Amino acid sequence: MEQVWHELWLCLVLAALLWVPGQSLLVLHGSGQRWPGLQQPIVAFGLSVSLYPVLFYALRFWAPAVRLTPWFLWALLLVCAVLLVVQQRRHATPKKRWQLLEWVAVGIVAATLLTRLWVVVAMPYPAWTDSLHHVLLTALTAANGRLPTDLSPYFPVDVKMYHLGLYALSASVEWLAGVEAHTALLWVAQVLNGLCGLGVYLALDRYGGRGQDKVGALVGAAVVGLFSFQPAFYVNWGRFTQVASQAILLIALVVTLETLREFAQEWTLHRGKRPRLIGQALLCALLNAGVFLLHFRVAAFYGPALLLGLLGVGWPYRRQWRALLSALLWIGGFTLLLILPTLWTALQSYIESLAYAAVVNALDPVARSESLQQYYEFPWSSYTLLAAPGWLWAISGVAALIGLLRRNPVTVFSLAWMALLLLEGYAYLFGVAALMVTNLGAVLILFYLPIGLIIGAGVDELITLAPLPWRKRAVAVALTLVLLAALPAGRLRIQQIEPYRFFVTDADIQAMHWLDEHLPPTARIAVNTEFWLPTVPHGTDAGYWLPYFTGRNTTAGVMIMHGEYLRQVAGWSHSVVALESDLSALHTLYDQGIDYIYIGARGDFASPGLQVDFLRQSPEVRVLYEHDGVAILQILPLNR
């Protein structure tokens, strides 16, 4: 029962953090009524998510001596809540009741969230490799009251050029909910994952109409949340920063396009409204900055969508080009100001990626082909393995055809956006280093957004084709099909867990308690290791997590290593891999300063890994701990 109350408290804290600040900004600006029905809390959600990275980055840049505290956040939420209550009493106006379809959409979103949180309860420790540095950065942000610049004391890794926005939110949850860093991170990431359909709903609801016969927004949200295996599958990869940015991408786009439209309509004719329009531009900038600060690469995916949206709005209002230019200057200026704290370091990261791409291009043909194959080249099967199953592609194709025949603007936009994203994914084929900023895999796992838009728009157009007296029945049929399919689809989302990617088990936690009590703090521990790329190693079991749970150093490092430290970790890891079949590697490890070995309950998913029965054959190894599949061994200083 205590666990239930604990989880309920976590949900309440997350609800407050993800709604109250954004709603108060809408109230302050007076633009809440411009977003009817479910649109308003969706925009408030986007503003709230964006606020934390902007705030934490700004304080680190402009006031580096300032440290945030839980009390500050409580005070911020309290002020926002009081503001909402006061404004509600001052400007009490009759509110339109939500339509039935909007309540059904709330149910679809709630069902999506349930599938994501079900995984959290079943798998309480984050999965795969990236999760380690996500958790460490959350812990450091909470401990220091500011975004870190490196991973010390855990690792000598500089993170100035890494997107840190998510940890502003996960650290806030760690503070206010009183939970550990890994719990805070996992709950934040899974809630944002569960809300990824909100942007699709907003775009379809805003541009698909709000009549009783418009069910496309609901269908689009259901596609993203329940019927598509992405982004639900992200939890297996620990792809948390990317999903956080994608959760607000379409919200930022819609708000930006609506602001451009308002500027075109009012900037010249109603000069008295210019302060309100400038305030609206600031809200746009907050959202755009949030997309960027949460994940730099998603900002590169957002750019083509923003360009297409600008063309779509700009053409009808081309005669108001001065107003549109004013809007772009205000929005762009505010956005640059808000991302200034990390803009230069992000550009440095981009320049470094150019240098890496240049090195790849300079390799001999065989080496270049091998490098491209490992990171850039993906087989055609990736479209169904990473983006969507074949049946969903088929439905998308039919919906796209209907949308194109009906000249649906959402369909045209989505297809054009997908084409531009594919250009980014295949940019390596041009051999231009400046274009090689991502790979096709990162693009394909984003396709659930345009797929949701295309199917939702297609459903709306299909219903419109029905004779007027039959449209309500068509809506009822569509709604019934969605609801009937929601339960089995939600069950699939829960079952698509890959257990081998979840390294930490209860047996490992017990072993780590023993390790923490019996091994010296300066110990460096060899752990099961695989090489993702020839120079990039990572752990394969709970030993990878020893720095977080025990503070001990390991041979595996983290996935954001670079420079000399990466080369050092690669050297240790090659020795660990050699130890899987060659006991003489014990000499090498000892000479490298490695004096202990940890074998986790999960072992190595890709090879036999380190085996305690094999290692104990050597007199240079002593087994210190062995229980429930976990072993801790010491390398003895014999014959040296």
Side-chain angles (χ1 to χ4, degrees):
M1 191 64 182
E2 181 180 353
Q3 181 67 18
V4 173
W5 284 110
H6 181 70
E7 292 167 356
L8 179 61
W9 175 241
L10 253 173
C11 291
L12 291 174
V13 167
L14 275 163
L17 288 170
L18 295 179
W19 178 74
V20 173
Q23 186 64 33
S24 66
L25 287 174
L26 287 177
V27 168
L28 275 175
H29 181 255
S31 59
Q33 297 305 315
R34 293 179 176 271
W35 303 98
L38 192 54
Q39 293 181 16
Q40 185 177 135
I42 292 175
V43 174
F45 159 75
L47 291 170
S48 293
V49 172
S50 301
L51 177 65
Y52 301 99
V54 168
L55 173 63
F56 275 67
Y57 263 111
L59 285 176
R60 191 183 74 171
F61 186 75
W62 300 108
V66 175
R67 299 291 187 270
L68 294 176
T69 66
W71 291 109
F72 172 84
L73 284 183
W74 280 123
L76 175 64
L77 291 177
L78 179 61
V79 169
C80 291
V82 170
L83 173 66
L84 290 176
V85 173
V86 170
Q87 290 295 321
Q88 177 65 27
R89 290 186 175 182
R90 283 184 179 178
H91 307 286
T93 56
K95 292 186 177 180
K96 293 183 179 179
R97 293 184 178 182
W98 286 6
Q99 300 173 7
L100 174 62
L101 291 180
E102 289 176 315
W103 283 111
V104 176
V106 170
I108 291 295
V109 173
T112 302
L113 280 172
L114 180 61
T115 65
R116 305 309 195 257
L117 296 182
W118 190 292
V119 174
V120 172
V121 174
M123 301 288 190
Y125 303 103
W128 210 228
T129 55
D130 286 352
S131 293
L132 177 59
H133 65 257
H134 293 324
V135 169
L136 294 178
L137 288 166
T138 296
L140 288 171
T141 301
N144 299 327
R146 62 192 294 269
L147 294 176
T149 57
D150 56 56
L151 272 176
S152 61
Y154 299 105
F155 298 100
V157 175
D158 189 304
V159 296
K160 292 179 182 178
M161 292 181 286
Y162 188 70
H163 33 255
L164 304 173
L166 174 63
Y167 317 117
L169 185 52
S170 57
S172 298
V173 172
E174 181 180 347
W175 282 338
L176 301 192
V179 296
E180 294 180 282
H182 65 275
T183 301
L185 172 76
L186 193 53
W187 276 73
V188 168
Q190 283 297 87
V191 167
L192 294 179
N193 191 309
L195 297 176
C196 262
L198 293 183
V200 172
Y201 182 94
L202 177 65
L204 289 166
D205 198 41
R206 193 73 179 184
Y207 302 123
R210 295 185 50 77
Q212 294 291 333
D213 57 347
K214 295 295 183 180
V215 72
L218 185 152
V219 172
V223 168
V224 170
L226 298 174
F227 303 137
S228 170
F229 61 72
Q230 302 288 17
F233 196 84
Y234 279 27
V235 70
N236 292 289
W237 297 327
R239 208 68 175 254
F240 299 144
T241 51
Q242 183 166 346
V243 80
S245 185
Q246 289 167 186
I248 63 172
L249 187 154
L250 288 176
I251 301 174
L253 177 64
V254 172
V255 174
T256 300
L257 298 184
E258 290 302 303
T259 302
L260 290 171
R261 183 175 284 109
E262 289 184 40
F263 264 79
Q265 293 171 347
E266 300 179 2
W267 182 259
T268 303
L269 298 177
H270 305 282
R271 294 179 179 271
K273 294 185 178 181
R274 287 188 176 183
R276 186 192 62 78
L277 291 174
I278 293 173
Q280 182 71 16
L282 182 57
L283 295 182
C284 284
L286 178 61
L287 286 163
N288 292 330
V291 173
F292 179 84
L293 297 176
L294 287 165
H295 200 285
F296 298 155
R297 185 164 54 192
V298 173
F301 301 151
Y302 179 48
L306 201 56
L307 175 62
L308 292 169
L310 176 60
L311 293 174
V313 172
W315 181 252
Y317 293 101
R318 56 190 179 278
R319 294 185 178 180
Q320 286 78 36
W321 64 270
R322 291 185 179 85
L324 289 174
L325 180 60
S326 298
L328 291 175
L329 290 175
W330 280 109
I331 296 172
F334 283 141
T335 301
L336 287 174
L337 180 64
L338 295 179
I339 67 174
L340 182 62
T342 190
L343 180 60
W344 173 242
T345 54
L347 290 175
Q348 284 182 299
S349 179
Y350 174 67
I351 292 171
E352 287 189 2
S353 70
L354 294 185
Y356 172 76
V359 170
V360 171
N361 287 333
L363 296 173
D364 64 83
V366 176
R368 182 178 184 273
S369 176
E370 181 181 354
S371 178
L372 290 176
Q373 185 176 9
Q374 289 172 337
Y375 184 75
Y376 290 105
E377 294 181 359
F378 287 80
W380 286 108
S381 59
S382 300
Y383 281 80
T384 53
L385 292 175
L386 295 179
W391 64 267
L392 194 58
W393 276 115
I395 294 175
S396 302
V398 174
L401 181 60
I402 295 172
L404 287 175
L405 292 175
R406 299 282 295 174
R407 298 182 181 179
N408 184 283
V410 174
T411 302
V412 174
F413 161 81
S414 301
L415 291 173
W417 186 27
M418 292 175 78
L420 292 177
L421 289 175
L422 287 174
L423 280 178
E424 291 187 1
Y426 285 110
Y428 74 94
L429 295 174
F430 298 103
V432 180
L435 301 178
M436 298 169 64
V437 296
T438 187
N439 62 14
L440 183 62
V443 168
L444 292 178
I445 64 174
L446 173 76
F447 269 14
Y448 66 89
L449 288 176
I451 285 175
L453 291 173
I454 289 170
I455 294 177
V459 169
D460 272 343
E461 292 295 347
L462 189 61
I463 290 174
T464 304
L465 289 173
L468 190 59
W470 289 85
R471 287 185 185 175
K472 288 186 177 180
R473 296 181 183 181
V475 169
V477 170
L479 191 58
T480 301
L481 290 175
V482 169
L483 294 178
L484 288 176
L487 182 60
R491 186 177 180 181
L492 288 174
R493 300 293 75 80
I494 293 171
Q495 293 176 337
Q496 64 181 44
I497 294 301
E498 296 184 337
Y500 76 91
R501 296 183 186 270
F502 291 78
F503 296 162
V504 182
T505 68
D506 290 338
D508 289 295
I509 295 298
Q510 182 179 347
M512 289 181 190
H513 288 314
W514 184 94
L515 185 152
D516 207 24
E517 294 176 0
H518 293 86
L519 266 59
T522 56
R524 184 174 296 279
I525 305 170
V527 298
N528 269 309
T529 302
E530 287 291 329
F531 278 83
W532 175 56
L533 294 176
T535 59
V536 183
H538 64 77
T540 67
D541 61 27
Y544 190 58
W545 284 80
L546 286 172
Y548 169 67
F549 284 107
T550 71
R552 272 40 171 213
N553 294 316
T554 70
T555 55
V558 285
M559 295 302 291
I560 53 175
M561 297 177 294
H562 50 82
E564 180 58 34
Y565 184 65
L566 173 58
R567 288 186 284 272
Q568 186 176 34
V569 169
W572 295 332
S573 297
H574 280 297
S575 300
V576 173
V577 172
L579 184 59
E580 294 180 9
S581 57
D582 183 6
L583 290 175
S584 66
L586 289 166
H587 293 271
T588 306
L589 284 169
Y590 189 87
D591 292 341
Q592 291 174 328
I594 315 301
D595 37 15
Y596 294 93
I597 301 170
Y598 182 98
I599 303 175
R602 294 292 187 195
D604 194 315
F605 57 85
S607 67
L610 300 174
Q611 300 290 326
V612 64
D613 290 337
F614 174 70
L615 294 175
R616 66 171 18 122
Q617 296 176 16
S618 171
E620 299 176 71
V621 168
R622 179 171 63 188
V623 178
L624 303 178
Y625 177 97
E626 188 174 10
H627 185 68
D628 287 345
V630 183
I632 302 172
L633 306 90
Q634 182 180 11
I635 303 176
L636 302 174
L638 300 177
N639 303 322
R640 307 188 194 284

